[in-house]
């Protein structure tokens, strides 16, 4: 449309600003960041994830250039570089060369990680997939940025009628930010979250037709149980009917064993946190959980999943004389829960711990079970947040095995920050080893001069686990785990790059599971020595450990 003087208005006027040529300096900076994003990080990345990361960092580079140019204009300064056509084309060509070099090196960079993980090398890099995804993400983000610019300019013009120019510019910017935030957070983000939550909730309720309720009266979900079969949830149903039975454990030890007790309460079992915790406690009492030699309070991952590698090895090491109790607190996976609401589940963990610990302390120390805690990923964080260590030294629980403690764990951060100077951040040595010890694939629990005290806290983590080692400070500071001798499962080609490394490790969290024994996928063979050190079972020997590793091999947990 045209106004009275023949000038374009409305949508026609907006089109050049929305779809006009790109800034050469912005494209160059974006290309540099795109090439950097292709360098190796903690976890092997597929073409789709790499493309999404590349598109994001390209857009960040472009926007950074735009903001710098806008800042100079606002200050009344003229940029030293003026993009004449020939110079602009030369810059575009240089940007293409930079991107092409990064894509050409992509397979070698990814193979440096795969070699550290003992994975077969890639013959190619799926360059076309990376480029298509990166272009789509970058185009979408740049379009959103230009739309934001138009919206800010529109409000600036409206408010400039009664406000000074620079004040109107600031007001326009704030109004545009408010509108964008309302759309992104109030509509897009919440809609996506509701969709994911609804989908996960439905999946949690579906019971396969070939999955029948247990007939053993001591198993949750049976006719005699206080917990209905449908209220166990997807992971709970699979958990209570799986694992080694009495006969399998007895066959391994070549002597009688007990049937392990597994108690689990799903989210739909009751409406409140307190009711679910009480239901788990009552079920534990019903099946005789406090009459076992070992009692473990296990906190699941965000979705309610308990790692079979951890649970099965626990039951073999204890010869079946163990009861494990857990309650579900979410439907979302741990990486998503960490981002959206990491403290969701603290109430459930604390309520269950308080009930069990309160009853346990009232029992005679001579006849009560040995009490332990366990958690993987977000479950490790929640378990740590639950324990009031300073309030229980008079009658402490016996220990804990925390696996893959996420970066938001204050206890894990303390262990890293206060480690011995001669120990690496990926396997820190804390204090004299009488309270806390850490381990990875290559051990580490034996490297201490002092014996264990009354509580044994064991941290198990892999040096290639991005959920453990992510930190926002990666954007501006080289992490300690890249400064000195690096973990054996961390590729030698990884280098710290400002901003880019933080985004790489952030994206790595989404693909950290899938290769058993690396990343965030913990193997049974590494749980065995960790559990043995935590539990200190009578008569345990290195020969037992070797036999059990050989017996279990690598369990496939997913």
């Amino acid at each position: 449309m045209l106004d009275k003087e023949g000038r374009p208005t409305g949508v026609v006027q907006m089109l050049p600003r929305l779809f006009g040529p790109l800034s050469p300096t912005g494209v160059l900076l974006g290309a540099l960041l795109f090439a950097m994003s292709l360098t190796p990080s903690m976890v092997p990345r597929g073409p789709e994830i790499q493309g999404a990361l590349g598109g994001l960092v390209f857009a960040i580079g472009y926007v950074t250039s735009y903001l710098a140019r806008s800042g100079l204009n606002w200050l009344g300064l003229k940029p030293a570089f003026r993009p004449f056509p020939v110079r602009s084309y030369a810059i575009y060509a240089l940007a293409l060369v930079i991107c092409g070099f990064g894509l050409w090196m992509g397979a070698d960079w990814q193979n440096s990680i795969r070699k550290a993980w003992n994975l077969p090398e890639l013959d190619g890099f799926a360059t076309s997939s990376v480029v298509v995804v990166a272009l789509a993400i970058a185009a979408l983000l740049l379009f959103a940025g230009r739309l934001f610019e138009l919206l800010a300019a529109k409000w600036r013009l409206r408010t400039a009628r009664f406000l000074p120019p620079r004040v109107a510019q600031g007001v326009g910017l704030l109004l545009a930010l408010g509108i964008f935030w309302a759309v992104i957070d109030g509509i897009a983000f919440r809609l996506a979250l509701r969709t994911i939550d609804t989908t996960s909730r439905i999946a949690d309720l579906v019971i396969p037709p070939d999955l029948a309720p247990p007939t053993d009266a001591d198993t949750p979900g049976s006719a005699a149980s206080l917990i209905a079969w449908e209220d166990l949830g997807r992971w709970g149903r699979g958990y209570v009917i799986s694992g080694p039975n009495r006969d399998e454990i007895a066959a391994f030890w070549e002597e009688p064993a007990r049937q392990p007790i597994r108690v689990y309460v799903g989210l739909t079992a009751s409406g409140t946190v307190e009711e679910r915790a009480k239901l788990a406690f009552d079920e534990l009492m019903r099946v005789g959980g406090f009459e076992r030699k070992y009692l473990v309070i296990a906190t699941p991952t965000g979705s309610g999943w308990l790692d079979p590698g951890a649970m099965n090895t626990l039951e073999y090491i204890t010869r079946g004389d163990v009861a494990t109790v857990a309650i579900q607190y979410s439907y979302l996976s741990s990486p998503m829960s960490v981002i959206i609401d990491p403290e969701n589940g603290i109430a459930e963990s604390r309520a269950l711990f308080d009930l069990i610990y309160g009853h346990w302390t009232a029992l005679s120390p001579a006849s009560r079970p040995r009490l332990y805690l366990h958690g993987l990923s977000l479950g490790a964080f929640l378990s740590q947040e639950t324990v009031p260590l300073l309030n229980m030294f008079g009658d402490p629980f016996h220990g804990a095995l925390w696996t893959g403690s996420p970066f938001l764990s204050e206890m894990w951060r303390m262990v890293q920050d206060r480690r011995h100077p001669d120990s690496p951040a990926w396997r820190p040595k804390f204090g004299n080893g009488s309270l806390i010890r850490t381990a990875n694939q290559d051990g580490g629990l034996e490297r201490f001069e002092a014996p264990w005290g009354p509580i044994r806290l064991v941290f198990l983590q892999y040096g290639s686990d991005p959920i453990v080692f992510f930190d926002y400070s990666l954007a501006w500071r080289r992490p300690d785990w890249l400064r000195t001798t690096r973990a054996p499962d961390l590729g030698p080609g990884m280098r710290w790059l400002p901003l880019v490394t933080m985004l790489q490790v952030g994206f790595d969290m989404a693909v950290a599971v899938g290769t058993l024994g690396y990343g965030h996928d913990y193997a049974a063979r590494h749980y065995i020595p960790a559990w043995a050190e935590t539990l200190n079972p009578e008569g345990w020997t290195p020969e037992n450990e070797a036999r059990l590793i050989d017996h279990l091999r690598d369990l496939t947990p997913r």
Side-chain angles (χ1 to χ4, degrees):
M1 296 179 65
L2 303 176
D3 60 13
K4 294 180 180 180
E5 299 179 4
R7 293 175 299 189
T9 62
V11 176
V12 177
Q13 187 181 26
M14 293 169 56
L15 290 178
R17 299 188 68 177
L18 285 174
F19 301 102
L22 298 175
S23 161
T25 53
V27 170
L28 181 60
L29 184 56
L32 284 170
L33 292 183
F34 172 80
M36 290 179 182
S37 75
L38 293 163
T39 60
S41 58
M42 303 187 83
V43 175
R45 293 189 296 272
E48 295 79 13
I49 291 292
Q50 180 58 64
L53 172 62
L56 173 62
V57 298
F58 180 92
I60 290 174
Y62 189 91
V63 170
T64 301
S65 172
Y66 168 82
L67 292 175
R69 189 170 63 251
S70 299
L72 291 174
N73 291 336
W74 191 82
L75 293 172
L77 302 174
K78 294 182 179 180
F81 170 79
R82 291 189 173 277
F84 297 111
V86 175
R87 190 178 296 176
S88 297
Y89 294 144
I91 293 175
Y92 290 144
L94 178 59
L96 283 175
V97 170
I98 292 172
C99 291
F101 174 77
L103 291 168
W104 178 62
M105 290 294 297
D108 290 339
W109 284 335
Q110 287 299 305
N111 282 334
S112 70
I113 312 173
R114 299 178 69 86
K115 185 177 180 180
W117 284 30
N118 294 313
L119 295 174
E121 292 189 357
L122 297 171
D123 294 330
F125 189 53
T127 301
S128 58
S129 299
V130 174
V131 171
V132 168
V133 175
L135 286 174
I137 296 295
L140 179 63
L141 293 175
L142 292 180
F143 178 80
R146 290 190 168 186
L147 196 61
F148 175 84
E149 182 186 16
L150 279 174
L151 189 60
K154 178 180 178 181
W155 284 105
R156 175 180 60 80
L157 292 174
R158 287 189 176 186
T159 55
R161 301 170 186 171
F162 49 86
L163 291 175
R166 290 195 174 181
V167 176
Q169 190 174 20
V171 170
L173 183 63
L174 290 176
L175 288 173
L177 281 171
I179 293 172
F180 258 64
W181 179 255
V183 171
I184 294 172
D185 181 63
I187 300 177
F189 179 75
R190 294 183 184 276
L191 178 61
L193 183 59
R194 281 198 299 269
T195 302
I196 294 171
D197 183 69
T198 301
T199 304
S200 302
R201 189 184 299 268
I202 292 173
D204 197 65
L205 294 173
V206 172
I207 303 176
D210 59 342
L211 193 63
T215 56
D216 182 1
D218 289 339
T219 303
S222 66
S225 173
L226 303 176
I227 308 164
W229 176 241
E230 58 271 16
D231 288 337
L232 289 172
R234 175 175 56 143
W235 294 120
R237 284 186 287 270
Y239 169 67
V240 299
I241 62 173
S242 63
N245 58 38
R246 176 192 298 108
D247 295 336
E248 291 169 331
I249 298 173
F252 172 79
W253 287 106
E254 298 178 347
E255 61 182 52
R258 302 191 69 176
Q259 177 67 33
I261 292 175
R262 294 185 171 191
V263 173
Y264 190 100
V265 174
L267 262 177
T268 60
S270 187
T272 68
V273 169
E274 293 75 16
E275 289 173 349
R276 289 196 296 275
K278 184 64 165 57
L279 186 58
F281 175 79
D282 291 343
E283 180 75 354
L284 186 66
M285 291 288 291
R286 184 187 74 83
V287 296
F290 285 92
E291 299 167 14
R292 294 302 176 99
K293 185 174 183 178
Y294 301 91
L295 173 58
V296 177
I297 304 174
T299 307
T301 63
S303 62
W305 181 74
L306 288 165
D307 191 345
M311 297 296 100
N312 295 357
T313 54
L314 166 67
E315 290 165 350
Y316 270 104
I317 290 172
T318 58
R319 304 176 189 236
D321 199 3
V322 60
T324 306
V325 58
I327 56 177
Q328 185 183 14
Y329 54 87
S330 171
Y331 298 110
L332 303 177
S333 64
S334 283
M336 186 163 292
S337 297
V338 165
I339 296 171
I340 296 172
D341 187 8
E343 295 189 354
N344 178 36
I346 288 181
E348 283 90 341
S349 299
R350 183 166 293 136
L352 181 61
F353 177 83
D354 289 346
L355 279 174
I356 292 176
Y357 180 73
H359 180 77
W360 180 79
T361 55
L363 299 175
S364 169
S367 59
R368 68 189 181 186
R370 298 175 63 84
L371 181 61
Y372 295 90
L373 309 180
H374 172 64
L376 165 66
S377 191
L378 187 61
F381 164 71
L382 296 175
S383 179
Q384 294 159 21
E385 289 292 300
T386 298
V387 180
L389 276 176
L390 298 179
N391 296 333
M392 55 177 55
F393 280 114
D395 196 2
F397 64 99
H398 291 83
L401 172 56
W402 291 316
T403 308
S405 299
F407 63 93
L408 45 79
S409 164
E410 293 182 4
M411 185 178 291
W412 168 241
R413 183 64 53 83
M414 177 199 69
V415 172
Q416 286 184 294
D417 292 344
R418 299 184 183 181
R419 71 185 187 277
H420 286 205
D422 62 343
S423 65
W426 44 270
R427 197 174 65 188
K429 185 177 180 181
F430 182 81
N432 62 5
S434 61
L435 175 64
I436 294 174
R437 300 187 187 184
T438 69
N440 68 345
Q441 300 99 317
D442 295 334
L445 296 170
E446 69 288 343
R447 305 171 301 114
F448 295 90
E449 58 277 3
W452 280 106
I455 305 177
R456 297 184 174 212
L457 303 181
V458 174
F459 288 82
L460 173 63
Q461 69 287 323
Y462 294 157
S464 58
D465 189 341
I467 294 176
V468 172
F469 292 103
F470 175 83
D471 193 273
Y472 293 106
S473 66
L474 291 171
W476 63 84
R477 185 176 66 223
R478 185 192 306 274
D480 288 345
W481 44 270
L482 277 179
R483 288 183 183 273
T484 56
T485 304
R486 60 183 62 202
D489 52 330
L490 193 64
M494 184 177 183
R495 298 291 183 269
W496 176 74
L497 301 168
L499 179 64
V500 174
T501 297
M502 184 199 73
L503 294 172
Q504 285 180 321
V505 177
F507 272 73
D508 286 345
M509 289 196 291
V511 290
V513 172
T515 304
L516 199 61
Y518 300 92
H520 198 60
D521 210 341
Y522 290 84
R525 65 180 182 273
H526 300 136
Y527 273 114
I528 293 171
W531 270 126
E533 193 72 26
T534 305
L535 301 171
N536 190 29
E538 296 178 7
W540 183 259
T541 65
E543 290 74 21
N544 296 146
E545 179 179 320
R547 284 185 59 238
L548 187 54
I549 290 174
D550 185 62
H551 178 72
L552 293 177
R553 301 294 180 180
D554 282 340
L555 300 177
T556 303
R558 292 169 180 81

